[in-house]
Structure formats: structure tokens, C-alpha cells
Amino acid sequence: MDLRDSEEQAAFRKEVASFISDEAPKAKKGVSGVAALAGSWEASQGWFQKLADKGWIAPAWPEEYGGAGLSVMKQFVLSEEMALRSAPRPGHLVIGLGMGGPTIISHGTEEQKREFLPSIIRDRDIWCQGFSEPESGSDLASIKTRAVRDGDDWVINGQKIWTSFAHQAVWMIMIARTDPDAPKHKGMSYFVVDMKSPGITVRPITDMGNGQLFNEVFFDNVRVPARNMVGEENRGWYVATTTLDHERSAIGSTTGLKQQVEAMIVFAQEHIEDHTSSLGKNPMLRYELADRMIETEMARMLSYRVISMQNRGEVPNHEASMLKLYSSELQQRIAATYLHLLGLYGLLGSGSPLAPANGRHGSAYVSAVSATIAGGTSEIQRGIIATRGLGLPKN
Ligand SMILES: Cc1cc2nc3c(=O)[nH]c(=O)nc-3n(C[C@H](O)[C@H](O)[C@H](O)COP(=O)(O)OP(=O)(O)OC[C@H]3O[C@@H](n4cnc5c(N)ncnc54)[C@H](O)[C@@H]3O)c2cc1C
């Protein structure tokens, strides 16, 4: 097996690398993605516009919807180079770009594609995902939020929870029950909802890392035009599973993991003589770092499998679950190893002058806890792999 770039991919990698080095705002050493973005929002906006102009915000989308029509393989190369070079990435657009957009490309009408897709890139509208409800998370098909047809509209009543970005979102992809008498997987439909619609209330939830990413969203007689239903009435479950497959593939993206481990190794080497690195006192940490590096390579192989399937036009299912499961648990192990390396200094918060990297690693450890819950818990992923992947019985 030869996993090296083809000639075309290698040329594209070079093109991306020089574009990033010429145009991207310079991130602080060791800071990437949303962290870098938070530091220089304005510079990042200019950079995102440059990416949008080249169609590189959604590189694999067709050109007529604002993408660059690239293969999924080239999209992955772009993503790897961005991670490697700490170029800011539009993480806040993840639901529109990685879940809503691809679902509309698969199941939407031409009118929906033209209305929704270009604005994700052009206006960089934030989207959110209204799937989970207070009593429906893992058993998503048990949702109770109702949509009732009234003329040219559907009228929605109910509640969603854990809705990331709802407080900033312009659009929501959501599922609601449209036939309460049908078996639970067969009586729901999929909608795109304007978050400014009258009757929507968003209430923030503070997470255990003191972050405010997710929210409760209440629907009180919210009117949604019938043209905003994606896919057929009562067949929304099948549309939602496309979103979930994309979500798991995106959550499982491993492009940043290797860079995190490499940064950790550089930190360990640079600080071996001083108090912030435990490596000098605890040589066993060498083995832990070696394990993390091997694991990022394994995660990369799982990514390649998912990317190759997408490149052939297939939608990965249990393969996406394998990637999501492995890389989310790896994310937690990487965060834990960083804290082992920092010793007690890793527990200092961002207010402390003694905190290495301004306390970032302590917060990363806390926020990594949610990685194995978001997008379906590890138990649910293992269930999918066991049944759909290995053909084992459900119970
Ligand atoms: C950071 C974060 C962001 C999120 N963002 C969003 C979002 O934007 N939109 C959205 O809709 N949702 C979002 N979620 C919600 C997420 O999808 C749910 O939390 C997740 O699906 C689990 O559902 P639950 O919390 O209701 O837990 P439950 O389903 O109540 O599960 C509780 C426990 O029981 C276990 N369990 C449940 N059923 C089974 C089973 N059949 N077999 C074995 N074990 C089982 C679970 O693994 C878990 O350990 C987010 C969650 C997090 C953590």
C-alpha cells in the first residue's frame, strides 16, 4: 500500500502551503484553530474571505454553490496543511459547512441548494443543529417536538437542548414529529428553521469548563415555510442520519491531533530542565508520548478510510463511528498526557501568571470530556460498529 500523495495531490499540497504562508494571519506558536481565531478575530475574517474567494471554505462543494469542486482527498490535504501550519479555521461554521450543507446537497431541492449553500460561504452564516431534546439524546428517534401543517407553513412546538451555537445561529437544521401515530422512525420530518422566527427562545447553558457553547431552544408556535422541509414528509429520520454520518466524520477529523502531539513533544523537550515539564522527573512519560504519537497515526489511517469512501461518493456509516469513537477517546488521552507532562502546573487556571500556555491545557482537559458525548456517545458508536459493522445482533 502506498499512502504517499499522488503527483497531483503533492502539487496541490505545495500550492496550499504557499498560499497559507503568504496569506494566513500568523498564529501564535502552538495555537491553532478556534484558539488562534479567538486571538485575532478581524485578521481571521480577512483570511476567511481569501479562502472563500478561492472556494476553499467548502472545497469539495460544487463551484455553483461557492465551493471549489475539489475531490474529498484534496479537501483533506487542505485541511491537513491548515492544521500543520496553524492557519485559523472557521470552526464556528462547522454545522453549516460540515453537516447542514452536505445534507442539503444530498437531500435538498435545487431551490434549497441555491438559497442556503452560497450564504454559508458568502455571508458565513452560523448554523445550529436542533436534534437532541431533554428526553431524547441517544434514542434520538423518540423526539417529541411537534410540527403541524397549517396552509403553506408548518407550526412547530417543543424544546431542543444542548444546541451548540444556537445563541449566534442564523439557521437551524432540526427534526420534528409530523406523524405522532407512525412508528417512531417513520413519523418525523427535517426542516431548516430561521432562528429569527417569532416564537423561538434561546436560553444559554454554561458547561463545566465555564464555556457557553450550547443552549436550550424553545419553540412556541414557530411558523416554518413548507418549502424549508428537506426530503420527504415523515422521512426525516433518513435525512437526519445523513447529517449524523457527516457529523461523526467531521468530529473524527484527525488533522489537528498529530499537530497537538507534536507541539506537546516540542514543549517536553524545550522545558525538560525547568519546573513546568515533568519529563525530567518521570521518564515513563516518554512511553506515554510515544503511545500518543502512534495513536495519532492510527487515527490518521481511520481518517483515510473515511475520506477514501467519501471520495468514491459513498457515505461512511460504521466507518465514521470508528473514526469518531477512536479520535474522541484519543483527544481525551492527549489532553490527559499534557496534564501528566505539566504536573501540578497543569491545574493552574488562565488567571495565574505561573500557568503554562495561560492555563489552556487545563481547559482542554475539561472540554475533552464532552468529546465522547457530542455527536453520539462512545457506547452508541460501539453499538453501531457492533451491529452495522460486524453484523452482531442488537441485543
Ligand atoms: C459538547 C456537546 C455539544 C453538543 N451539541 C449538540 C448540538 O449542537 N445539537 C444537538 O442536537 N445535540 C448536541 N449535543 C447533544 C448530544 O448529541 C447528546 O448529549 C448525546 O447524543 C447523548 O444524549 P444524552 O445527553 O441525552 O444522553 P443519554 O442518551 O441520556 O445517555 C446517557 C448515558 O446512557 C448511555 N446509553 C444510552 N443509550 C444507550 C444504549 N442504547 N446502549 C448503551 N448505552 C446507552 C449513553 O452512552 C450515556 O452514557 C451536544 C453534546 C455535547 C456534549
Side-chain angles (χ1 to χ4, degrees):
M1 193 191 298
D2 185 356
L3 292 172
R4 281 174 302 185
D5 287 339
S6 67
E7 235 171 74
E8 198 189 341
Q9 284 159 6
F12 181 65
R13 195 180 286 282
K14 236 174 148 180
E15 181 189 344
V16 174
S18 78
F19 182 72
I20 293 173
S21 110
D22 293 346
E23 306 287 352
K26 305 289 170 260
K28 275 193 235 149
K29 199 174 171 212
V31 181
S32 62
V34 175
L37 199 149
S40 54
W41 179 254
E42 301 218 328
S44 298
Q45 289 307 310
W47 163 238
F48 295 154
Q49 186 54 51
K50 287 177 191 161
L51 287 174
D53 292 343
K54 285 183 84 70
W56 284 3
I57 291 260
W61 288 11
E63 289 178 57
E64 69 255 46
Y65 307 130
L70 297 182
S71 67
V72 179
M73 218 49 115
K74 280 192 177 168
Q75 172 171 274
F76 187 68
V77 168
L78 179 67
S79 176
E80 273 191 326
E81 287 301 306
M82 300 252 287
L84 190 71
R85 292 163 203 287
S86 301
R89 292 201 273 181
H92 57 306
L93 302 183
V94 64
I95 295 179
L97 284 174
M99 294 153 60
T103 303
I104 290 171
I105 289 175
S106 297
H107 297 276
T109 61
E110 192 50 39
E111 188 193 353
Q112 288 168 343
K113 290 177 194 171
R114 293 201 180 280
E115 178 175 0
F116 296 120
L117 300 178
S119 68
I120 297 177
I121 296 168
R122 188 189 55 228
D123 306 330
R124 291 189 278 291
D125 285 346
I126 294 178
W127 285 46
C128 65
Q129 174 201 23
F131 281 18
S132 306
E133 297 185 4
E135 302 298 326
S136 305
S138 301
D139 183 15
L140 188 58
S142 67
I143 54 153
K144 294 189 186 62
T145 293
R146 280 281 276 134
V148 177
R149 183 80 191 234
D150 182 28
D152 288 340
D153 295 335
W154 287 88
V155 179
I156 301 185
N157 281 286
Q159 186 198 339
K160 299 292 173 180
I161 194 167
W162 316 122
T163 322
S164 310
F165 301 109
H167 56 304
Q168 300 166 318
V170 179
W171 297 102
M172 170 190 272
I173 41 173
M174 61 97 69
I175 41 176
R177 193 152 295 288
T178 38
D179 181 354
D181 301 322
K184 62 182 182 178
H185 291 89
K186 297 191 171 154
M188 66 178 85
S189 302
Y190 191 107
F191 299 92
V192 179
V193 177
D194 182 343
M195 288 298 284
K196 285 190 288 307
S197 309
I200 293 186
T201 306
V202 176
R203 200 157 69 190
I205 302 173
T206 303
D207 65 33
M208 71 184 203
N210 217 16
Q212 291 206 328
L213 175 71
F214 39 48
N215 305 269
E216 291 178 285
V217 181
F218 300 88
F219 292 79
D220 181 12
N221 288 319
V222 175
R223 299 191 83 86
V224 178
R227 65 172 189 282
N228 282 18
M229 180 184 283
V230 181
E232 289 171 45
E233 183 178 336
N234 293 327
R235 291 188 58 81
W237 177 252
Y238 308 98
V239 185
T241 53
T242 301
T243 305
L244 293 175
D245 288 335
H246 282 291
E247 178 176 17
R248 286 163 192 162
S249 306
I251 287 179
S253 168
T254 55
T255 49
L257 294 178
K258 188 165 184 215
Q259 190 231 358
Q260 285 177 35
V261 175
E262 280 170 352
M264 183 156 61
I265 290 166
V266 170
F267 179 91
Q269 285 165 339
E270 284 178 353
H271 293 265
I272 194 156
E273 300 295 340
D274 73 41
H275 56 275
T276 51
S277 166
S278 305
L279 188 59
K281 288 174 251 124
N282 180 5
M284 293 302 280
L285 271 168
R286 286 176 174 80
Y287 298 165
E288 204 173 322
L289 286 165
D291 281 343
R292 295 300 85 86
M293 188 46 96
I294 296 166
E295 289 159 358
T296 60
E297 289 298 333
M298 286 165 66
R300 196 150 156 249
M301 294 303 124
L302 291 173
S303 270
Y304 281 166
R305 184 174 182 198
V306 164
I307 302 294
S308 313
M309 290 181 72
Q310 288 175 331
N311 209 42
R312 292 194 297 270
E314 299 165 21
V315 178
N317 178 258
H318 68 273
E319 299 85 352
S321 290
M322 285 168 65
L323 174 60
K324 194 270 167 179
L325 172 66
Y326 191 78
S327 54
S328 57
E329 293 188 350
L330 174 56
Q331 182 69 64
Q332 293 175 344
R333 289 195 294 276
I334 292 173
T337 299
Y338 235 127
L339 285 200
H340 297 160
L341 186 64
L342 297 173
L344 289 174
Y345 286 90
L347 302 179
L348 295 173
S350 62
S352 165
L354 293 176
N358 199 25
R360 183 159 49 87
H361 299 300
S363 337
Y365 179 81
V366 173
S367 58
V369 171
S370 68
T372 48
I373 303 171
T377 64
S378 287
E379 289 77 16
I380 295 304
Q381 308 310 328
R382 287 194 168 87
I384 292 171
I385 297 160
T387 51
R388 292 185 224 162
L390 305 178
L392 296 168
K394 273 199 166 165
N395 293 306

